[in-house]
């Protein structure tokens, strides 16, 4: 699974314990810092800003002053108790962030104080200060903002591995991207554009279609008013080569049936479980009942592939994930990909940020920052 508007789960390289805070520069007593804490499963109000205090980085770790954090679809599921990679509450969520290295643990040689880094973890990154293994940090490329850096890792790693490692995307192929205006959807569209003559079908509400067309979606489909499978077949009677499925349930069966011979279905989330602020047992039962199932023998007759992807279970795959990040940084530096930021919210407005994503109002990434964005601060001063 993965992240944002689609993934029902996502995140990777994480320490055994959630990232902790760092000491004040120069030693002495640990400074207090703010963190977002999931106090229990339920609605938006369950995530609260709390004060935390902690020690310095352990051997092999770096301490990072966090400047921006990514909000992912898996975080919404975690709030409802539907994401299995999050420790039980009270717990600090957050799978990705970006900031500046402020202290080094013993044995860290490949990072320096002052380095601007992106961080990936299973949880624990929605804090002002975190301690994380240096192996879970990646140097930000020149010219990248902290907001962009917090929007890159989960969504783009997911989209890249789904499209290229599993999907084997090649020129002249066609792809169906669900929740195309979300974080993974936006990343997938940009990555498809790096391959020659790829035809993109994208589902999203009608208000987002102009934005999708501008970004490279040839055929936006309003899933709320149309049967997307029928719409795809009107344009491409044989179907498509690759379907990215973050939805689960009956949509996975529809995806499989839409594949051309030698087509590939990659399922990476169960967004259909999420119907409101709190856990919906009826939606869970319906999704489970409609779960796609196929035997190896049936698969053999269809000439199709079914793949499952969940970044949260890549915890120990440092080389694999690091290799993907290096490719993404290179693509960013070449101007071929650029994270699209939907909105930026201070920690105090985390409920509004989650609502923005859960109600599918976002086009691109929803970002959390420890302090109010500068523009807002200026407005308040005037």
């Amino acid at each position: 699974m993965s992240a944002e508007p689609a993934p029902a789960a996502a995140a990777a390289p994480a320490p055994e314990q959630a990232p902790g805070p760092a000491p004040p520069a120069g030693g002495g007593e640990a400074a207090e810092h703010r963190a977002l804490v999931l106090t229990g499963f339920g609605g938006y109000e369950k995530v609260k800003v709390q004060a935390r205090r902690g020690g310095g980085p352990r051997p092999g770790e770096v301490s990072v002053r966090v400047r921006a954090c990514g909000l992912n679809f898996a975080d919404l599921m975690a709030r409802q108790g539907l994401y299995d990679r999050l420790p039980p509450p009270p717990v600090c969520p957050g799978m990705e962030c970006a900031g500046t290295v402020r202290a080094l643990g013993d044995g860290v040689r490949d990072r320096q104080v002052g380095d601007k880094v992106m961080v990936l973890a299973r949880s624990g990154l929605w804090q002002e200060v975190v301690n994380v293994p240096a192996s879970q940090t990646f140097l930000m490329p020149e010219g990248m903002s902290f907001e962009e850096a917090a929007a890159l890792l989960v969504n783009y790693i997911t989209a890249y591995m789904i499209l290229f490692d599993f999907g084997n995307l090649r020129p002249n192929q066609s792809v169906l991207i669900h929740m195309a205006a979300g974080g993974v959807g936006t990343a997938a569209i940009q990555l498809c554009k790096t391959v020659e003559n790829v035809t993109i079908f994208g589902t999203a509400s009608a208000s987002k279609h102009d934005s999708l067309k501008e970004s490279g979606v040839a055929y936006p489909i309003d899933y709320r008013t149309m049967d997307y499978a029928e719409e795809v077949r009107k344009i491409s009677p044989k179907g498509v080569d690759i379907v990215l499925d973050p939805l689960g349930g009956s949509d996975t069966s529809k995806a499989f049936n839409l594949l051309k011979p030698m087509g590939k279905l990659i399922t990476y989330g169960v967004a259909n479980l999420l119907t409101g602020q709190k856990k919906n047992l009826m939606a869970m039962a319906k999704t489970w009942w409609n779960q796609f199932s196929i035997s190896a023998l049936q698969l053999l007759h269809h000439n199709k592939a079914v793949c499952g992807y969940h970044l949260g279970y890549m915890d120990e795959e440092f080389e694999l994930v690091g290799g993907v990040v290096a490719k993404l940084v290179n693509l960013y530096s070449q101007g071929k990909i650029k994270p699209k930021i939907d909105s930026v919210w201070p920690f105090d407005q985390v409920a509004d940020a989650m609502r923005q994503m859960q109600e599918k109002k976002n086009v691109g990434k929803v970002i959390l920052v420890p302090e109010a964005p500068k523009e807002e601060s200026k407005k308040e001063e005037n």
Side-chain angles (χ1 to χ4, degrees):
M1 298 181 178
S2 182
E4 224 260 55
E16 289 180 17
Q17 295 178 304
E29 268 192 46
E32 206 170 68
H33 71 280
R34 296 159 74 245
L36 288 170
V37 178
L38 178 65
T39 57
F41 299 131
Y44 302 129
E45 78 287 350
K46 293 293 185 181
V47 182
K48 304 183 190 304
V49 179
Q50 294 184 356
R52 282 196 162 188
R53 196 181 288 274
R58 292 172 293 195
E61 290 186 338
V62 294
S63 176
V64 177
R65 167 69 63 184
V66 176
R67 298 288 300 277
C69 308
L71 176 63
N72 288 290
F73 212 77
D75 297 313
L76 303 182
M77 302 201 68
R79 198 194 67 237
Q80 296 189 8
L82 298 171
Y83 182 65
D84 61 350
R85 300 303 279 165
L86 187 75
V91 61
C92 175
M95 302 162 180
E96 61 187 336
C97 71
T100 307
V101 174
R102 65 197 294 271
L104 306 176
D106 289 343
V108 176
R109 301 281 178 265
D110 56 351
R111 292 289 176 267
Q112 297 179 338
V113 171
D115 280 349
K116 293 180 179 180
V117 293
M118 306 176 277
V119 185
L120 192 61
R122 191 188 299 173
S123 64
L125 298 182
W126 288 359
Q127 307 188 61
E128 287 182 320
V129 180
V130 294
N131 293 331
V132 291
S135 59
Q136 291 172 219
T137 67
F138 306 91
L139 292 173
M140 288 168 51
E142 196 69 36
M144 179 179 271
S145 69
F146 287 113
E147 289 79 12
E148 285 179 333
L152 186 83
L153 293 180
V154 170
N155 293 158
Y156 281 80
I157 291 171
T158 297
Y160 188 97
M161 296 185 86
I162 285 173
L163 282 171
F164 298 119
D165 294 332
F166 273 145
N168 191 26
L169 179 63
R170 290 178 303 219
N172 307 312
Q173 290 191 323
S174 54
V175 182
L176 171 60
I177 300 172
H178 284 296
M179 301 170 92
V184 172
T186 302
I189 291 165
Q190 292 182 7
L191 289 167
C192 282
K193 301 302 286 180
T194 68
V195 178
E196 191 181 351
N197 197 34
V198 171
T199 302
I200 305 171
F201 296 83
T203 65
S205 53
S207 62
K208 300 176 182 179
H209 286 193
D210 286 344
S211 171
L212 289 183
K213 281 179 181 172
E214 283 172 25
S215 66
V217 175
Y219 303 105
I221 302 168
D222 184 357
Y223 65 95
R224 295 180 181 180
T225 61
M226 297 173 173
D227 181 322
Y228 63 82
E230 282 181 19
E231 295 303 309
V232 169
R233 288 206 183 276
K234 282 179 191 174
I235 296 148
S236 179
K238 280 192 172 181
V240 295
D241 295 293
I242 300 171
V243 179
L244 276 57
D245 170 38
L247 304 173
S250 59
D251 286 293
T252 307
S253 302
K254 286 176 77 169
F256 185 80
N257 292 328
L258 265 177
L259 291 177
K260 291 179 179 179
M262 299 306 292
K264 300 168 189 73
L265 159 64
I266 302 96
T267 181
Y268 66 102
V270 202
N272 284 337
L273 288 179
L274 222 59
T275 58
Q277 245 199 88
K278 299 181 180 178
K279 191 186 291 185
N280 182 331
L281 296 177
M282 186 62 77
M284 291 174 71
K286 185 179 174 186
T287 302
W288 179 83
W289 181 256
N290 290 322
Q291 196 168 228
F292 176 71
S293 180
I294 190 167
S295 71
L297 189 60
Q298 290 170 315
L299 203 53
L300 185 153
H301 295 157
H302 279 288
N303 290 308
K304 297 176 181 180
V306 180
C307 309
Y309 181 83
H310 191 320
L311 182 53
Y313 284 89
M314 296 272 189
D315 289 43
E316 303 303 320
E317 301 299 329
F318 301 119
E319 277 187 42
L320 181 61
V321 172
V324 174
V325 175
K327 290 170 186 169
L328 292 171
V329 166
N330 191 34
L331 287 170
Y332 178 89
S333 299
Q334 292 174 37
K336 291 182 178 177
I337 61 171
K338 185 176 177 66
K340 186 180 179 73
I341 309 301
D342 171 77
S343 50
V344 180
W345 308 80
F347 278 3
D348 294 327
Q349 293 176 30
V350 63
D352 296 320
M354 289 190 292
R355 185 179 291 109
Q356 175 81 356
M357 180 182 288
Q358 190 154 333
E359 294 179 359
K360 298 189 174 76
K361 293 178 180 173
N362 59 305
V363 176
K365 189 77 170 185
V366 178
I367 295 291
L368 296 166
V369 292
E371 296 166 6
K374 286 174 185 170
E375 300 80 58
E376 286 187 23
S377 305
K378 285 173 186 168
K379 283 179 197 167
E380 287 168 12
E381 287 168 17
N382 293 339

